[in-house]
Each structure stands twice: as C-alpha cells, then as structure tokens.
Coordinates of all heavy atoms in Angstrom, one line a residue:
M11 N -5.5 -1.9 8.2 CA -5.1 -0.6 8.8 C -6.4 0.0 9.5 O -7.4 0.1 8.9 CB -4.7 0.3 7.6 CG -4.1 1.7 8.1 SD -3.5 2.7 6.8 CE -1.8 2.0 6.8
K12 N -6.1 0.5 10.6 CA -7.1 1.0 11.5 C -7.4 2.5 11.3 O -6.4 3.2 10.8 CB -6.9 0.8 12.9 CG -6.8 -0.7 13.3 CD -6.7 -1.0 14.8 CE -6.8 -2.4 15.1 NZ -7.0 -2.6 16.4
A13 N -8.5 3.0 11.6 CA -8.8 4.4 11.3 C -7.9 5.5 12.2 O -7.4 6.3 11.7 CB -10.3 4.6 11.5
A14 N -7.5 4.9 13.3 CA -6.6 5.8 14.1 C -5.2 5.8 13.5 O -4.7 6.9 13.6 CB -6.6 5.2 15.5
E15 N -4.8 4.8 12.9 CA -3.5 4.7 12.2 C -3.6 5.8 11.0 O -2.7 6.4 10.7 CB -3.1 3.5 11.8 CG -2.9 2.4 12.8 CD -2.7 1.0 12.3 OE1 -2.8 0.8 11.1 OE2 -2.5 0.1 13.1
I16 N -4.7 5.8 10.4 CA -4.8 6.6 9.2 C -4.9 8.1 9.5 O -4.3 9.0 8.9 CB -6.0 6.2 8.5 CG1 -5.9 4.9 7.8 CG2 -6.5 7.2 7.3 CD1 -7.2 4.2 7.1
R17 N -5.6 8.3 10.6 CA -5.7 9.9 11.1 C -4.3 10.3 11.5 O -4.0 11.6 11.4 CB -6.5 9.9 12.3 CG -8.1 9.8 11.9 CD -9.0 10.2 13.0 NE -10.3 9.5 12.9 CZ -10.6 8.3 13.5 NH1 -9.7 7.9 14.6 NH2 -11.6 7.7 13.3
A18 N -3.3 9.3 11.9 CA -2.1 9.9 12.4 C -1.1 10.2 11.2 O -0.1 10.8 11.4 CB -1.4 8.9 13.2
L19 N -1.5 9.8 10.0 CA -0.6 10.1 8.9 C -0.8 11.4 8.3 O -1.8 12.1 8.4 CB -1.0 9.0 7.7 CG -0.8 7.6 8.0 CD1 -1.3 6.7 6.9 CD2 0.7 7.2 8.3
S20 N 0.3 12.0 7.7 CA 0.3 13.2 7.0 C -0.5 13.0 5.6 O -0.7 12.0 5.2 CB 1.7 13.7 6.8 OG 2.3 12.9 5.8
A21 N -0.7 14.2 4.9 CA -1.4 14.3 3.7 C -0.6 13.4 2.6 O -1.2 12.6 1.8 CB -1.7 15.7 3.2
D22 N 0.7 13.6 2.6 CA 1.5 12.8 1.6 C 1.7 11.4 1.9 O 1.5 10.6 0.9 CB 3.0 13.5 1.7 CG 3.1 14.9 1.1 OD1 2.2 15.3 0.4 OD2 4.2 15.6 1.6
D23 N 1.6 11.0 3.2 CA 1.6 9.5 3.5 C 0.3 9.0 3.1 O 0.2 7.8 2.6 CB 1.9 9.5 4.9 CG 3.3 9.8 5.3 OD1 4.1 9.7 4.5 OD2 3.5 10.0 6.6
L24 N -0.9 9.8 3.3 CA -2.2 9.2 2.9 C -2.2 8.9 1.4 O -2.7 8.0 1.0 CB -3.3 10.2 3.3 CG -3.7 10.2 4.7 CD1 -4.7 11.4 5.0 CD2 -4.3 8.9 5.1
Q25 N -1.6 9.9 0.6 CA -1.6 9.9 -0.8 C -0.8 8.6 -1.2 O -1.2 7.8 -2.1 CB -1.0 11.0 -1.4 CG -1.2 11.1 -3.0 CD -2.8 11.2 -3.3 OE1 -3.5 11.7 -2.6 NE2 -3.1 10.6 -4.4
S26 N 0.4 8.3 -0.5 CA 1.3 7.3 -0.9 C 0.5 5.9 -0.5 O 0.6 4.9 -1.2 CB 2.6 7.3 -0.3 OG 2.5 7.3 1.1
K27 N -0.1 5.9 0.7 CA -0.9 4.7 1.1 C -1.9 4.3 0.2 O -2.3 3.1 -0.1 CB -1.3 4.7 2.5 CG -0.3 4.8 3.6 CD 0.2 3.4 3.8 CE 1.2 3.5 5.1 NZ 1.8 2.2 5.2
L28 N -2.6 5.3 -0.3 CA -3.7 5.1 -1.2 C -3.2 4.5 -2.6 O -3.8 3.6 -3.1 CB -4.4 6.5 -1.5 CG -5.7 6.4 -2.5 CD1 -6.7 5.6 -1.9 CD2 -6.3 7.7 -2.8
Q29 N -2.1 5.0 -3.1 CA -1.5 4.5 -4.3 C -1.2 3.0 -4.1 O -1.4 2.1 -4.9 CB -0.4 5.3 -4.7 CG -0.7 6.7 -5.4 CD 0.5 7.4 -5.7 OE1 1.6 7.1 -5.3 NE2 0.2 8.4 -6.7
E30 N -0.5 2.7 -2.9 CA -0.1 1.4 -2.6 C -1.4 0.4 -2.5 O -1.3 -0.8 -3.0 CB 0.6 1.3 -1.3 CG 2.0 2.0 -1.3 CD 2.7 2.1 0.0 OE1 2.2 1.4 1.0 OE2 3.6 2.8 0.2
A31 N -2.3 0.8 -1.8 CA -3.6 0.0 -1.7 C -4.2 -0.3 -3.1 O -4.7 -1.4 -3.3 CB -4.5 0.7 -0.7
R32 N -4.3 0.8 -3.9 CA -4.8 0.6 -5.2 C -4.0 -0.4 -6.0 O -4.5 -1.3 -6.8 CB -5.0 2.0 -5.9 CG -6.2 2.7 -5.4 CD -6.3 4.0 -6.1 NE -7.6 4.6 -5.7 CZ -7.9 6.0 -5.9 NH1 -7.0 6.7 -6.7 NH2 -9.0 6.4 -5.6
A33 N -2.8 -0.4 -6.0 CA -1.8 -1.3 -6.7 C -2.0 -2.7 -6.1 O -2.1 -3.7 -6.8 CB -0.4 -0.8 -6.6
E34 N -2.1 -2.8 -4.8 CA -2.3 -4.1 -4.3 C -3.6 -4.8 -4.7 O -3.8 -5.9 -5.0 CB -2.4 -4.0 -2.7 CG -2.5 -5.3 -2.1 CD -2.3 -5.4 -0.6 OE1 -2.1 -4.3 0.1 OE2 -2.5 -6.4 0.1
L35 N -4.8 -3.9 -4.6 CA -6.0 -4.3 -5.0 C -6.0 -4.8 -6.6 O -6.5 -5.9 -6.9 CB -7.1 -3.2 -4.9 CG -8.5 -3.6 -5.3 CD1 -9.1 -4.7 -4.6 CD2 -9.4 -2.3 -5.2
F36 N -5.2 -4.0 -7.4 CA -5.1 -4.6 -8.8 C -4.5 -5.9 -8.8 O -5.0 -6.7 -9.6 CB -4.4 -3.4 -9.6 CG -4.0 -3.9 -11.0 CD1 -5.0 -3.8 -11.9 CD2 -2.8 -4.5 -11.3 CE1 -4.7 -4.2 -13.3 CE2 -2.5 -4.9 -12.6 CZ -3.4 -4.7 -13.6
N37 N -3.4 -6.0 -8.0 CA -2.7 -7.3 -8.1 C -3.6 -8.5 -7.6 O -3.5 -9.5 -8.1 CB -1.4 -7.3 -7.3 CG -0.4 -6.4 -8.0 OD1 -0.4 -6.3 -9.2 ND2 0.4 -5.7 -7.2
L38 N -4.3 -8.2 -6.5 CA -5.2 -9.2 -6.0 C -6.3 -9.6 -7.0 O -6.5 -10.8 -7.2 CB -5.8 -8.7 -4.7 CG -4.9 -8.6 -3.5 CD1 -5.7 -7.9 -2.4 CD2 -4.5 -10.0 -3.0
R39 N -6.9 -8.7 -7.7 CA -7.8 -9.0 -8.7 C -7.1 -9.8 -9.9 O -7.9 -10.6 -10.4 CB -8.5 -7.7 -9.2 CG -9.4 -7.0 -8.3 CD -10.0 -5.7 -9.0 NE -11.0 -5.2 -8.1 CZ -11.4 -3.8 -8.2 NH1 -10.9 -3.1 -9.0 NH2 -12.4 -3.5 -7.4
F40 N -6.0 -9.4 -10.2 CA -5.3 -10.1 -11.3 C -5.1 -11.6 -10.8 O -5.4 -12.6 -11.6 CB -4.1 -9.6 -11.6 CG -3.4 -10.0 -12.9 CD1 -3.7 -9.4 -14.0 CD2 -2.4 -10.9 -12.9 CE1 -3.2 -9.8 -15.2 CE2 -1.8 -11.4 -13.9 CZ -2.3 -10.8 -15.1
Q41 N -4.6 -11.8 -9.5 CA -4.4 -13.1 -9.0 C -5.8 -13.9 -9.0 O -5.8 -15.1 -9.2 CB -3.9 -13.1 -7.6 CG -2.3 -12.7 -7.6 CD -1.9 -12.5 -6.2 OE1 -2.4 -12.7 -5.3 NE2 -0.6 -12.1 -6.1
M42 N -6.8 -13.2 -8.6 CA -8.1 -13.9 -8.5 C -8.6 -14.4 -9.8 O -9.1 -15.5 -10.1 CB -9.2 -13.0 -7.9 CG -10.5 -13.7 -7.6 SD -11.8 -12.6 -7.0 CE -11.1 -11.7 -5.7
A43 N -8.4 -13.5 -10.9 CA -8.7 -13.9 -12.2 C -8.0 -15.1 -12.9 O -8.6 -15.9 -13.6 CB -8.6 -12.6 -13.2
T44 N -6.7 -15.3 -12.4 CA -5.9 -16.3 -12.9 C -5.9 -17.5 -11.9 O -5.3 -18.5 -12.2 CB -4.4 -15.8 -13.0 OG1 -4.0 -15.4 -11.7 CG2 -4.3 -14.8 -14.1
G45 N -6.8 -17.4 -10.8 CA -6.9 -18.5 -10.0 C -5.7 -18.7 -9.0 O -5.6 -19.8 -8.5
Q46 N -4.9 -17.7 -8.8 CA -3.7 -18.0 -7.9 C -4.0 -17.3 -6.6 O -3.1 -17.3 -5.7 CB -2.5 -17.1 -8.6 CG -2.0 -17.8 -10.0 CD -1.0 -17.0 -10.5 OE1 -0.7 -15.9 -10.0 NE2 -0.4 -17.6 -11.5
L47 N -5.1 -16.7 -6.3 CA -5.4 -16.0 -5.0 C -5.8 -17.0 -3.9 O -6.7 -17.8 -4.1 CB -6.4 -15.0 -5.2 CG -6.7 -14.1 -4.0 CD1 -5.5 -13.3 -3.6 CD2 -7.8 -13.1 -4.3
D48 N -5.1 -17.1 -2.8 CA -5.4 -18.0 -1.8 C -6.4 -17.2 -0.8 O -7.4 -17.9 -0.2 CB -4.1 -18.4 -1.0 CG -3.2 -19.2 -1.9 OD1 -3.8 -19.9 -2.7 OD2 -2.0 -19.2 -1.7
N49 N -6.0 -16.1 -0.4 CA -6.8 -15.4 0.6 C -7.7 -14.5 -0.1 O -7.4 -13.2 -0.2 CB -5.8 -14.7 1.6 CG -6.7 -14.1 2.8 OD1 -7.8 -14.2 2.9 ND2 -6.0 -13.3 3.6
T50 N -9.0 -14.9 -0.3 CA -9.9 -14.0 -1.1 C -10.5 -12.8 -0.1 O -10.9 -11.7 -0.6 CB -11.1 -14.8 -1.6 OG1 -11.7 -15.4 -0.5 CG2 -10.6 -15.7 -2.6
A51 N -10.3 -13.1 1.2 CA -10.9 -12.1 2.2 C -10.0 -10.7 2.2 O -10.3 -9.7 2.4 CB -10.8 -12.6 3.6
R52 N -8.6 -10.9 1.6 CA -7.8 -9.7 1.5 C -8.5 -8.7 0.6 O -8.1 -7.5 0.8 CB -6.4 -10.2 1.1 CG -5.4 -9.2 1.1 CD -4.9 -8.7 2.4 NE -4.0 -7.6 2.3 CZ -4.0 -6.5 3.0 NH1 -4.9 -6.3 4.0 NH2 -3.1 -5.6 2.8
V53 N -9.1 -9.1 -0.4 CA -9.6 -8.1 -1.3 C -10.6 -7.1 -0.6 O -10.6 -5.9 -0.8 CB -10.3 -8.9 -2.6 CG1 -11.0 -7.9 -3.5 CG2 -9.4 -9.7 -3.3
K54 N -11.5 -7.7 0.2 CA -12.4 -6.9 1.1 C -11.7 -6.0 2.0 O -12.1 -4.8 2.1 CB -13.3 -7.8 1.7 CG -14.4 -7.2 2.4 CD -15.4 -8.2 3.0 CE -16.6 -7.5 3.7 NZ -17.5 -8.4 4.3
E55 N -10.6 -6.6 2.6 CA -9.9 -5.7 3.5 C -9.2 -4.6 2.8 O -9.3 -3.4 3.3 CB -8.7 -6.5 4.2 CG -9.3 -7.6 5.1 CD -8.1 -8.5 5.6 OE1 -6.9 -8.1 5.4 OE2 -8.4 -9.6 6.1
V56 N -8.6 -4.8 1.6 CA -8.0 -3.7 0.9 C -9.0 -2.6 0.4 O -8.7 -1.4 0.5 CB -7.1 -4.2 -0.3 CG1 -6.5 -3.1 -1.1 CG2 -6.1 -5.1 0.3
K57 N -10.1 -3.1 0.0 CA -11.2 -2.2 -0.3 C -11.6 -1.2 0.8 O -11.9 -0.1 0.6 CB -12.4 -2.9 -1.0 CG -12.3 -3.5 -2.4 CD -13.6 -4.1 -2.8 CE -13.6 -4.7 -4.2 NZ -14.9 -5.3 -4.5
K58 N -11.7 -1.8 1.9 CA -12.1 -1.1 3.1 C -11.0 -0.1 3.4 O -11.2 1.0 3.9 CB -12.4 -2.0 4.2 CG -13.7 -2.7 4.1 CD -14.3 -3.3 5.4 CE -15.6 -3.9 5.1 NZ -16.3 -4.3 6.3
D59 N -9.8 -0.5 3.5 CA -8.7 0.4 3.7 C -8.6 1.6 2.7 O -8.4 2.7 3.1 CB -7.3 -0.4 3.6 CG -7.0 -1.3 4.7 OD1 -7.7 -1.1 5.7 OD2 -6.1 -2.1 4.6
I60 N -8.9 1.4 1.5 CA -9.0 2.5 0.4 C -10.1 3.4 0.8 O -9.9 4.7 0.7 CB -9.2 1.9 -0.9 CG1 -8.0 1.2 -1.5 CG2 -9.6 3.0 -1.9 CD1 -8.1 0.3 -2.7
A61 N -11.2 2.9 1.2 CA -12.4 3.6 1.7 C -12.0 4.4 2.9 O -12.4 5.8 3.0 CB -13.6 2.8 1.9
R62 N -11.3 3.9 3.9 CA -11.0 4.7 5.1 C -10.0 5.8 4.7 O -10.2 6.9 5.2 CB -10.3 3.7 6.0 CG -11.3 2.8 6.7 CD -10.5 1.9 7.8 NE -11.4 1.0 8.4 CZ -11.3 -0.3 8.1 NH1 -10.3 -0.7 7.4 NH2 -12.1 -1.2 8.7
I63 N -9.1 5.5 3.8 CA -8.1 6.7 3.4 C -8.8 7.8 2.7 O -8.6 8.9 3.0 CB -6.9 6.0 2.5 CG1 -6.2 5.0 3.4 CG2 -6.1 7.1 2.0 CD1 -5.2 4.2 2.5
Q64 N -9.7 7.4 1.9 CA -10.4 8.4 1.0 C -11.4 9.2 2.0 O -11.4 10.3 1.8 CB -11.2 7.8 -0.1 CG -10.4 7.3 -1.3 CD -11.2 6.6 -2.4 OE1 -12.2 6.0 -2.1 NE2 -10.7 6.7 -3.5
T65 N -11.9 8.6 2.8 CA -12.8 9.2 3.9 C -12.0 10.3 4.6 O -12.4 11.5 4.9 CB -13.6 8.3 4.8 OG1 -14.2 7.3 4.0 CG2 -14.4 8.9 5.7
E66 N -10.8 9.8 5.1 CA -10.0 10.8 5.9 C -9.5 11.8 5.1 O -9.4 13.0 5.5 CB -8.9 9.9 6.5 CG -7.9 10.9 7.3 CD -8.6 11.5 8.5 OE1 -9.6 11.0 9.1 OE2 -8.0 12.5 9.0
M67 N -9.1 11.6 3.8 CA -8.8 12.7 2.9 C -9.8 13.7 2.7 O -9.6 14.9 2.8 CB -8.1 12.1 1.8 CG -6.9 11.4 1.8 SD -6.4 10.5 0.3 CE -5.9 11.9 -0.8
R68 N -11.0 13.2 2.5 CA -12.1 14.1 2.3 C -12.5 14.9 3.5 O -12.8 16.1 3.4 CB -13.4 13.3 1.9 CG -14.7 14.0 1.6 CD -14.5 14.9 0.3 NE -15.7 15.6 0.2 CZ -15.8 16.8 -0.4 NH1 -14.7 17.4 -0.9 NH2 -17.0 17.4 -0.6
A69 N -12.4 14.3 4.7 CA -12.6 15.0 6.0 C -11.7 16.1 6.2 O -12.1 17.2 6.5 CB -12.7 14.0 7.1
R70 N -10.4 15.9 5.8 CA -9.4 16.9 5.9 C -9.7 18.1 5.0 O -9.5 19.2 5.2 CB -8.1 16.3 5.8 CG -7.6 15.5 7.0 CD -6.2 15.0 6.7 NE -5.8 14.1 7.8 CZ -4.6 13.5 7.8 NH1 -3.6 13.9 6.9 NH2 -4.4 12.7 8.8
E71 N -10.1 17.7 3.8 CA -10.4 18.7 2.7 C -11.6 19.5 3.1 O -11.6 20.8 2.9 CB -10.8 17.9 1.5 CG -11.0 18.9 0.2 CD -11.4 18.1 -1.0 OE1 -10.6 17.1 -1.4 OE2 -12.5 18.3 -1.6
M72 N -12.6 18.9 3.8 CA -13.9 19.6 4.2 C -13.5 20.5 5.4 O -14.0 21.7 5.5 CB -14.9 18.7 4.6 CG -15.5 17.9 3.5 SD -16.3 18.9 2.2 CE -17.7 19.3 3.1
S73 N -12.6 20.1 6.3 CA -12.2 21.0 7.4 C -11.2 22.2 7.1 O -11.2 23.2 7.9 CB -11.7 20.2 8.6 OG -10.4 19.7 8.2
A74 N -10.7 22.1 6.0 CA -9.7 23.1 5.6 C -10.3 24.3 5.0 O -11.4 24.4 4.7 CB -8.6 22.6 4.6

C-alpha cells in the first residue's frame, strides 16, 4: 500500500486497515514458524504498511 493511498483513507478506514495488517502479520509469523511461508518478503512489506498507517494516524493527531 502506498503512502498516497493511505492519506486518502478516512480515520475509520485507517483503523480497520491497521487491524487487518496486524492480523496478516500475525498469520505470516505463524506460517514462518511452522515452515509454511513461501514469500518471506511479505513480512517486511506488511511491517512497512503498518508503520505507514501509524505514521499517518499520528500526523493527523498532531495536526488536529
């Protein structure tokens, strides 16, 4: 997910995307631990998405 896409989302959408990303990260870590994960790069992508979402949420909080 790109930063421009994240900026276009509403606060509720950001919150739901954050929950989805955290759930996906949990599942990816579980798959990695059990040896079922094929695309290990996806873990890094999801972590960065979480960071982008949190950064945008914080920026909105600071500007309000």
Side-chain angles (χ1 to χ4, degrees):
M11 180 175 282
K12 296 189 178 193
E15 295 172 0
I16 292 173
R17 282 189 213 104
L19 296 174
S20 69
D22 292 333
D23 290 338
L24 282 175
Q25 193 65 32
S26 66
K27 288 285 186 185
L28 182 60
Q29 287 178 340
E30 290 173 14
R32 284 184 173 160
E34 183 179 358
L35 182 60
F36 175 79
N37 289 331
L38 289 172
R39 285 180 174 160
F40 194 86
Q41 288 176 2
M42 191 184 309
T44 59
Q46 297 174 348
L47 185 61
D48 295 329
N49 185 7
T50 56
R52 183 69 183 140
V53 174
K54 188 174 181 180
E55 292 172 14
V56 173
K57 283 183 179 181
K58 286 190 176 193
D59 286 344
I60 290 171
R62 285 185 188 108
I63 292 169
Q64 288 178 330
T65 301
E66 180 61 26
M67 290 173 73
R68 180 67 177 153
R70 289 183 185 186
E71 182 181 309
M72 295 296 287
S73 67

